[in-house]
Structures are given as structure tokens and as C-alpha cells.
Amino acid sequence: MPEFDLAIRGGTVVTAADTFPAEIGIRDGRIAAVASRVGDAARTIDAGGLLVLPGGIDSHVHIDQPSGPGIVMADDFASATRAAAAGGNTCVMPFALQPRGESLREVAAAYRAKAEGRCHIDVAIHLIVSDPTPAVLGQELPALITAGYTSFKVFMTYDDLVLNDRQILEVFEVARREGARVMVHAEGYDTIRYLSERLERSGQTGPYGHALSRPQPVEREAAHRAITHAELVDLPIVIVHVSGEEAMEQIAWAQGRGLKIHAETCPQYLTLTAEDMKGLGAEDPIAGAKYVCSPPPRDAASQAAIWSGLQRGVFDLVSSDHCPFRYDDPQGKLNPKGRTSFRWIPNGLPGIETRLPLLFSEGVSKGRISLNRFVALTATNHAKLYGLYPRKGSIGPGFDADLTLWDPKRRETITQKNLHHGSDYTPWEGFAVTGWPVMTIAGGQVIAEEGRILSEPGRGRVLDRTIDRAGPFA
């Protein structure tokens, strides 16, 4: 009888710390051996010429989430996890959003029910706290954290989600006491409202107005305020989707003072600019709606600054912030109100499948970051920050057999027709990349190969997590 269910031979194993030739033996869905030679296996995969990476973990995605009256998100759990798998990911982390006035516990249960039995890869669910009532803070949130929902997000903007400073401090205090991880969307609510109304009065209502309504100082101020609150409560936080140099400077300043402030950025801030929101001019001025997300992409100088931050260790994570809407759809970007003003264009881009190729190509292939840094930014740090390590995020005995076989020399052009998400466009149409996932293995099973999805919805699990107060990112 073979010693292993699966052996991967001939590849170069890459972790956040090391790069070395090795074979991998997999048994019962977990890595059982990593050695120069492993024994016989029921199936062998030749990884000659390929990199063997930990499966990507995308810890910031939005799937099948409420998006406002008349607006429908383009991905459910089946389509989003299918696309993620094709892009080399083996775990994603979406959000159970609490509408105001609703029970957080009931929201979490309903959202989990949407995911169970529909996922191609594993998912772990964050919470979004929008209504921190005494019952939520005193009972529901602590109970959910204990039950395995060990991370949640708070917003400093959006009409239906924004928390005031007192509320932020109160939820931070619960997180500190219970050992939860808090993610912060840092943009100033009142400033955005003021600028948006001023732009509309002056007739600047096209998609590019979105960028003008959220300039860098709006993000900088909110980031500093979030850092201040975290310092007062003595709480580590993650400031998500950092888009520009000014907010990044605040984070680097806080880190330099010894504060536990973690930062995440996204491919859109490394490859797109606000100019994309100008669309095609008179030919199709509304086409810029495809690029509307919050915070918005900035300029070339901010792109360079974010790359510098990745190199210097300011950032721990690169996530997609996948938030997919269809473009040519009355329930998506071009909804009737969205055609009249940037204010009503749904915020968000599809990117769950393109995150890894974009970062590898622009980062590793162009010499900006190392292979090991790539793995840390796309897998290992996500697992460590959000309670999935040492189950996921690296390659070694005992880890889940979640792996991506990667061709570092392969050249591809990103195009909508080859993607698997539910949206009808990609912001990176025609973008050439070097480096591509050729096979995704989850739990020891080949689930995607050469763009073909080989798994069925339901093989992925909904994971509960535990609190590790002494962990590497405590």
C-alpha cells in the first residue's frame, strides 16, 4: 500500500522564509512529509520547472453581501470560490454584514448558511459590526468571538455602516478584552459627504468625481484617528486597503513608535490610477464606473510609495478586496441612479482571481519583491493575523495540503473571457503578466488545473478559528 495519497516531485518549494528543492508527501488531506525524497504515492504530480507555493489566502473579499436597494453583488459563494481556486487561492475570508437593527448573531448564522455546501475552497468568516448596541457589545459579539468568528471589521464611512468615535472605542475595547482582530476601513465620513455635495453642485457627477470626493487627506485623517483610538485602548488593528502615500506615512509613523498597527493594500493601488475613472472621454464617459472603489486608486507617485512600503515591511498583507458588481446591469455599476452621479455607483472591483498573478508579475517578476516576500504577503501573514496558522499559510508537516503550482516564466494576458467570477468585466482587461498558477491543490485534491475547475461546490469547509493571544502577530 502506498505511503502517501499524493506526492509532488521535482518542484521548488517556497515559503515565507525559505526556497529549496523538495518533494512533498500528502496523506489524508495534510502534508505528511517534506524531504529530498518521499516514498511511494497513489498519485504523483511532476512539478519540474514549477514553484510549489502555499495556497493563496485572500483575507479580504466580499461575497453575496447586501449592497443597498436595487443593487446585487455579482458573486455567490460558488462562483467566487471557483474564481479564487482558478487564481491559485485555497482559502478566502468574506464578511457577514450586520444591517442596523438586526442581531449580529442571527446575521452570522444566516451568512454561514449561505456558504455551507457551496464552496470550492475553505472559507473563514469575518463579521462587520455596524450597530454596536449594548446587547451586541455585551453578549453577541463576545459569544461569536468565542465561537470562532475571531475577527471583525468596522467602518469610518458609508451611511449605513459608519461608527462614530465613541462607538469605535467601545468595539475596540471588546476586541481587546476578547482577543479579537479588528479591521478598519479608514475614510472620513463627514468630509466625504461635504466634498460629494460640493462636487454635485458644481456638476462634477461622472465617475471621476468619486476620486475627487475621497482625496488622500480623507484617508490620512481617518487612518491617524483609527491609530489614535487603537493606541488609547492598547489594541492591535489592521488598516485595510491602504491606497496612498499619506495614509501609509501615518501607519509607518505608528509602527515606528512601537504600536501594533498592521496594514493591507491591494493590486488596484499598485496597478491602476484615478485616471482610469475618467473612462473613454466623450466616447463613453461612464466607463470609468468600472474602476470605482473605496478608497479610489491614486496616482503614479502613490503607486511607487505603496511598492516602497511593501519592500520596507510597512504592509503585512496584499488582499484583493474583491467586491464584484456587473458593469452593464441595472442592478450593478450602471444602475439608473449610478448613471446620474458617482455617489450611486456601487463601490468595488472584481479581483479574487487576478490578485496573485498581478502581484507576482509586478512584484517578483520585475524585481520589486522576493519570492519569499510574495508568499508572506499573499498567504503566511494572512494565516498568522487571522487565526489560521499553523493550519494554513505555509508548507510543512501537519499543514493542510493547500498548494499552488506556479509557472514563474509563463506569460499570459488577463481577459474577462478566461475568468471565472460572476462579474461581466475585469478592470485589468488586456493586462500582460509574467507568472501564472497552473494547478491548485486544496486538502490534497487537485481542484483547478490550467484554468479548468475540477472540484464541485461543497468540498470547501467553513472554518472556525481560535484566539491565540501569544501568536506571532499577537
Side-chain angles (χ1 to χ4, degrees):
M1 183 176 178
E3 184 178 0
F4 301 106
D5 303 321
L6 176 66
I8 300 171
R9 309 186 194 275
T12 299
V13 173
V14 184
T15 70
D18 298 297
T19 303
F20 55 95
E23 296 185 355
I24 299 174
I26 295 168
R27 186 188 309 119
D28 297 329
R30 297 207 170 196
I31 296 172
V34 180
S36 57
R37 172 70 183 173
V38 300
D40 292 340
R43 179 182 178 184
T44 294
I45 292 174
D46 180 4
L50 302 176
L51 305 175
V52 184
L53 311 177
I57 300 173
D58 196 343
S59 62
H60 188 162
V61 302
H62 300 272
I63 301 170
D64 202 358
Q65 185 178 297
S67 303
I71 305 299
V72 177
M73 197 163 273
D75 272 320
D76 60 14
F77 277 93
S79 63
T81 57
R82 178 182 68 211
N89 300 282
T90 53
C91 183
V92 295
M93 302 185 72
F95 297 86
L97 184 155
Q98 177 203 21
R100 286 189 177 148
E102 294 192 17
S103 159
L104 185 61
R105 190 194 303 268
E106 291 177 4
V107 164
Y111 194 68
R112 188 184 188 106
K114 283 185 176 183
E116 288 177 334
R118 294 173 175 83
C119 299
H120 289 268
I121 60 175
D122 290 349
V123 302
I125 297 171
H126 305 293
L127 306 171
I128 291 176
V129 179
S130 72
D131 195 4
T133 64
V136 167
L137 295 176
Q139 301 169 28
E140 292 193 332
L141 185 54
L144 285 165
I145 293 168
T146 300
Y149 298 88
T150 62
S151 51
F152 61 88
K153 184 177 180 183
V154 297
F155 284 79
M156 301 176 77
T157 190
Y158 294 129
D159 291 345
D160 297 330
L161 297 173
V162 61
L163 302 186
N164 63 37
D165 286 355
R166 174 64 182 263
Q167 291 172 318
I168 291 171
L169 288 163
E170 289 174 344
V171 296
F172 278 12
E173 181 59 36
V174 173
R176 181 181 183 277
R177 186 179 67 242
E178 303 295 333
R181 183 74 67 196
V182 182
M183 309 160 76
V184 181
H185 179 132
E187 290 184 292
Y189 173 65
D190 287 326
T191 313
I192 291 169
R193 291 178 65 197
Y194 164 75
L195 292 172
S196 297
E197 291 168 6
R198 191 172 72 174
L199 286 162
E200 288 187 324
R201 285 195 301 269
S202 67
Q204 298 182 74
T205 58
Y208 185 67
H210 178 75
L212 300 177
S213 74
R214 287 170 143 86
Q216 286 206 55
V218 172
E219 186 181 6
R220 179 192 69 209
E221 179 276 329
H224 183 84
R225 188 156 36 102
I227 290 165
T228 301
H229 295 339
E231 181 180 16
L232 290 171
V233 178
D234 188 23
L235 175 74
I237 61 170
V238 184
I239 298 181
V240 296
H241 47 50
V242 177
S243 70
E245 182 174 14
E246 296 185 19
M248 188 189 77
E249 288 173 342
Q250 297 296 306
I251 294 163
W253 169 81
Q255 292 169 343
R257 296 179 66 235
L259 301 179
K260 294 179 181 179
I261 307 299
H262 304 283
E264 169 204 275
T265 193
C266 310
Q268 46 268 41
Y269 308 123
L270 299 167
T271 58
L272 304 177
T273 71
E275 294 296 306
D276 291 307
M277 280 180 279
K278 291 183 177 178
L280 304 175
E283 180 184 342
D284 188 1
I286 200 69
K290 293 178 179 179
Y291 302 91
V292 168
C293 61
S294 292
R298 303 300 183 184
D299 55 17
S302 275
Q303 284 185 1
I306 298 295
W307 278 114
S308 175
L310 289 171
Q311 293 162 340
R312 293 185 288 118
V314 177
F315 292 98
D316 296 300
L317 308 169
V318 174
S319 302
S320 69
D321 192 13
H322 178 73
C323 189
F325 300 96
R326 292 180 64 81
Y327 169 66
D328 191 11
D329 191 317
Q331 294 181 312
K333 294 283 191 179
L334 298 190
N335 66 85
K337 293 175 73 174
R339 290 177 178 272
T340 68
S341 173
F342 65 85
R343 188 197 290 250
W344 306 109
I345 297 171
N347 286 199
L349 310 180
I352 203 168
E353 190 169 351
T354 50
R355 174 185 69 124
L356 296 179
L358 286 166
L359 183 63
F360 189 95
S361 183
E362 294 297 300
V364 179
S365 297
K366 293 188 175 181
R368 290 180 168 121
I369 59 173
S370 69
L371 268 173
N372 308 104
R373 182 73 172 133
F374 173 81
V375 169
L377 289 167
T378 59
T380 309
N381 291 349
H382 299 255
K384 289 181 175 180
L385 271 168
Y386 294 118
L388 294 170
Y389 193 87
R391 185 175 185 178
K392 295 183 181 294
S394 193
I395 297 174
F399 281 86
D400 286 353
D402 291 355
L403 305 165
T404 300
L405 304 192
W406 194 276
D407 186 341
K409 298 180 180 179
R410 182 159 168 178
R411 296 182 177 180
E412 292 284 346
T413 298
I414 295 172
T415 181
Q416 167 65 17
K417 68 179 181 180
N418 293 333
L419 298 178
H420 300 76
H421 58 211
S423 185
D424 58 352
Y425 79 99
T426 171
W428 291 278
E429 184 70 39
F431 198 103
V433 296
T434 300
W436 197 256
V438 298
M439 181 181 290
T440 306
I441 298 168
Q445 300 178 28
V446 178
I447 62 168
E449 183 175 8
E450 295 290 352
R452 301 187 309 276
I453 304 301
L454 305 178
S455 61
E456 295 294 329
R459 73 146 305 280
R461 303 160 294 179
V462 180
L463 304 177
D464 295 319
R465 293 164 287 144
T466 56
I467 299 295
D468 181 8
R469 294 180 185 269
F473 278 97

